[in-house]
Amino acid sequence: MNPKIKKILIKSKKEVFSEVVGNNSSKLKGEGYDFLELKEYEYGEDVKNIDWVISAKLQKPYVKVFHAQKELNINLVALLNGSVHFGTDKFKQELICEICSILAFSAIKQGDAFSSYIANETLTFCTKKSKRTFSVNKMTENIFEYKSVNKKLNYKNITNSIFSHIKRRSLIFLIGDFFNVENLDLKLLSKKHEIVVIIVRDRFEENLTTLGNINLKDLENGFEYNGVVNAQALKDYKEQIKKNDHILYEHLRKCNTNFTKIYTDENPISKLARLMK
């Protein structure tokens, strides 16, 4: 196994199982029991459920009645196009990999199964529904080693595929850098499922400061640019990023979709913990 993958898995598992995320992951709580009512004890019932305080007060044995919660159906969708093959501290694809690993371990800790997908022009299975650590390892390895260069995102195909493929109401995490979101439409999907969007970015691409002669390459379509970047070009670029994010945030709010942004120089655990409260 690649040493970087091993490091991601060890770090993610340690942070989740050392209570950093687990105890705050209300969005990931599915399996368990909720208190429903008290009723008089009947022969054959489990004595472990007797409420001794109430029984003493009423001079009769009373038991707590619980109802089982349904297991949560968790789906992790990694949006892997060419632009995630970039980063100054670490590649965005590596951060997406780490985030998916943390979410998967959190699901396992809560007793819930998870499935994972890789999406760009189409939606493909990464790992099938599972509660096993082996599936986390496999998912992490598949996402980390995925060849994202020259891959483009087709939001319409992705959302349509998720809608038709995932039948049961689910908690779906969409993790990607979310550029060029003019065609992103989560309205229908958010009515059927609970959607959480995690935006992964590098600070350099939002605050580009390089001036003069530069060489750039678009990792989605292979287009290369060799030329001069002046102050006006930088200003136009930053305005385009702001416009893109404004469209994205407004759309997510209209869809009542929770979201957060995590940068490549950040440890994702604290933002994920707040997101899942």
Side-chain angles (χ1 to χ4, degrees), residues 181-197:
V181 295
E182 294 86 357
N183 296 320
L184 176 66
D185 189 351
L186 298 175
K187 290 195 292 290
L188 188 61
L189 202 61
S190 62
K191 289 179 181 178
K192 182 180 179 182
H193 304 287
E194 183 177 358
I195 308 297
V196 177
V197 166

Side-chain angles (χ1 to χ4, degrees), residues 34 36 47 84 106 129 151 169 180-181 187 211 241:
D34 278 346
L36 185 62
V47 295
V84 302
S106 297
K129 188 175 180 180
K151 295 291 194 302
R169 179 169 173 79
N180 304 316
V181 295
K187 290 195 292 290
L211 292 169
I241 296 291

Side-chain angles (χ1 to χ4, degrees), residues 212-236:
N213 291 311
I214 61 171
N215 177 270
L216 297 173
K217 184 174 182 178
D218 189 324
L219 294 175
E220 281 195 10
N221 56 35
F223 174 77
E224 290 191 46
Y225 173 79
N226 292 287
V228 177
V229 174
N230 56 30
Q232 185 59 47
L234 278 181
K235 184 180 178 182
D236 292 343

Side-chain angles (χ1 to χ4, degrees), residues 25-241:
S25 305
S26 57
K27 281 189 182 295
L28 295 181
K29 287 179 182 173
E31 194 173 48
Y33 297 90
D34 278 346
F35 173 73
L36 185 62
E37 63 180 355
L38 284 168
K39 76 176 191 70
E40 198 169 337
Y41 174 81
E42 294 178 6
Y43 177 77
E45 291 184 304
D46 192 343
V47 295
K48 292 179 181 178
N49 293 330
I50 293 177
D51 189 319
W52 297 105
V53 175
I54 298 297
S55 298
K57 287 181 179 178
L58 299 177
Q59 297 297 303
K60 287 182 179 180
Y62 276 79
V63 294
K64 295 176 182 177
V65 179
F66 299 88
H67 73 272
Q69 294 178 328
K70 290 183 179 179
E71 184 181 283
L72 205 57
N73 193 31
I74 297 169
N75 292 274
L76 311 176
V77 182
L79 306 177
L80 301 183
N81 57 318
S83 62
V84 302
H85 190 76
F86 174 81
T88 51
D89 187 72
K90 59 185 170 188
F91 279 7
K92 288 183 283 182
Q93 184 166 336
E94 185 178 336
L95 179 56
I96 291 171
C97 183
E98 185 177 349
I99 290 167
C100 288
S101 178
I102 290 170
L103 293 173
F105 277 127
S106 297
I108 290 174
K109 184 180 179 182
Q110 301 294 352
D112 293 313
F114 76 95
S115 304
S116 64
Y117 301 82
I118 291 174
N120 34 66
E121 295 172 77
T122 58
L123 181 75
T124 55
F125 246 129
C126 183
T127 54
K128 294 182 179 180
K129 188 175 180 180
S130 174
K131 296 182 182 180
R132 298 169 59 199
T133 300
F134 169 78
S135 294
V136 184
N137 298 347
K138 184 181 177 184
M139 174 199 68
T140 305
E141 192 168 9
N142 288 346
I143 292 174
F144 187 90
E145 295 183 343
Y146 185 79
K147 305 300 182 184
S148 57
V149 176
N150 297 325
K151 295 291 194 302
K152 300 177 182 178
L153 279 185
N154 187 320
Y155 287 118
K156 187 176 181 180
N157 282 352
I158 293 168
T159 52
N160 287 344
S161 296
I162 292 173
F163 188 86
S164 60
H165 185 78
I166 303 175
K167 306 292 185 184
R168 180 181 157 195
R169 179 169 173 79
S170 304
L171 174 58
I172 300 174
F173 291 89
L174 300 176
I175 308 112
D177 58 13
F178 290 92
F179 286 120
N180 304 316
V181 295
E182 294 86 357
N183 296 320
L184 176 66
D185 189 351
L186 298 175
K187 290 195 292 290
L188 188 61
L189 202 61
S190 62
K191 289 179 181 178
K192 182 180 179 182
H193 304 287
E194 183 177 358
I195 308 297
V196 177
V197 166
I198 300 174
I199 306 159
V200 172
R201 295 278 177 84
D202 189 274
R203 294 188 194 276
F204 180 77
E205 63 191 351
E206 290 188 354
N207 297 286
L208 189 63
T209 56
T210 302
L211 292 169
N213 291 311
I214 61 171
N215 177 270
L216 297 173
K217 184 174 182 178
D218 189 324
L219 294 175
E220 281 195 10
N221 56 35
F223 174 77
E224 290 191 46
Y225 173 79
N226 292 287
V228 177
V229 174
N230 56 30
Q232 185 59 47
L234 278 181
K235 184 180 178 182
D236 292 343
Y237 171 80
K238 290 179 181 179
E239 286 299 319
Q240 187 62 36
I241 296 291

